[in-house]
Amino acid sequence: MTEHTEPRGRRPANDGPKAAGRNRAALVAAAREVFSEHGLEAPLSAIARRAGVGQGVLYRHFPDRTAAVTAVLEENVRQIEQAAEAENATFPAVLGVLTWHLVESAAFIGLLHADRAGNRSGIRAHALTLSGRVERALRKHLPPGHRLGSADDLVLSVAMVSAAVTGPTHEEREHRALAAWRLLGVEVGPVRAFGG
């Protein structure tokens, strides 16, 4: 009887539970990219392929589309909150992180317009909570007397900029976002992910 074994180095070792965190992070990053490129109705199988995992792994982490969208939204908001908590954080720097997420994530733009979405995706209340967290992170660094300091001006300006983030390429979306901030007379720091 001949024992069949895989050649060394051909298949990665099964890391079991250690791989779960890596797989989830890869799935969230892939979901952000796929949703940005193809919209929120993109096939979930495209997310699994982009992350380099099987569909079973995808469904273990995200049993449905709502769970995948929610995970992307949570990660976006978490990064904005981290940027706001960073040492020497400034309003322009936090806006730069927010703008990066606007450019990179169609799901995040949907969050900022959750009040218009109705109950379509089943995550409206959660999206409104996350939107409130974004506003609190930004307000933490909003200088006294800033042009966006009154009433709903901050939330309205973010929604206006997010509506301007259109275009087939990353560069075009970023250009339009920065142009919208300029038109509003608002300084934005470097457009990048937190820690990037």
Side-chain angles (χ1 to χ4, degrees):
M1 178 172 146
T2 309
E3 186 177 312
H4 178 71
T5 59
E6 289 290 323
R8 220 163 166 44
R10 190 165 186 187
R11 186 171 24 166
N14 182 352
D15 289 338
K18 290 192 292 186
R22 282 194 313 269
N23 288 343
R24 187 177 195 290
L27 284 164
V28 170
R32 177 183 293 119
E33 293 170 6
V34 169
F35 289 149
S36 180
E37 293 167 13
H38 305 289
L40 296 179
E41 299 304 320
L44 295 181
S45 60
I47 295 169
R49 276 193 307 278
R50 178 80 53 99
V53 301
Q55 292 219 183
V57 172
L58 169 79
Y59 287 114
R60 233 184 332 273
H61 289 279
F62 307 124
D64 56 28
R65 182 174 311 282
T66 298
V69 171
T70 300
V72 172
L73 297 177
E74 285 281 354
E75 177 62 19
N76 292 348
V77 172
R78 187 184 64 75
Q79 281 196 19
I80 292 164
E81 289 173 330
Q82 287 177 324
E85 294 299 323
E87 191 176 327
N88 302 321
T90 64
F91 185 65
V94 179
L95 272 184
V97 173
L98 168 70
T99 302
W100 184 85
H101 285 287
L102 293 176
V103 169
E104 295 295 322
S105 181
F108 192 59
I109 290 175
L111 159 71
L112 297 170
H113 297 283
D115 58 330
R116 290 191 269 154
N119 244 348
R120 182 176 152 266
S121 64
I123 61 170
R124 183 177 184 273
H126 186 61
L128 289 171
T129 299
L130 293 176
S131 184
R133 287 170 50 193
V134 170
E135 181 182 2
R136 283 190 296 280
L138 290 171
R139 285 204 182 278
K140 189 178 291 188
H141 297 287
L142 191 64
H146 192 279
R147 68 185 311 129
L148 301 181
S150 62
D152 292 329
D153 288 355
L154 178 60
V155 173
L156 181 58
S157 67
V158 171
M160 289 167 62
V161 171
S162 73
V165 180
T166 60
T169 66
H170 169 88
E171 292 76 19
E172 188 173 339
R173 292 189 303 270
E174 184 174 321
H175 172 76
R176 291 178 62 91
L178 291 174
W181 284 122
R182 271 193 310 278
L183 286 171
L184 291 169
V186 177
E187 178 189 353
V188 177
V191 177
R192 60 183 177 203
F194 178 69

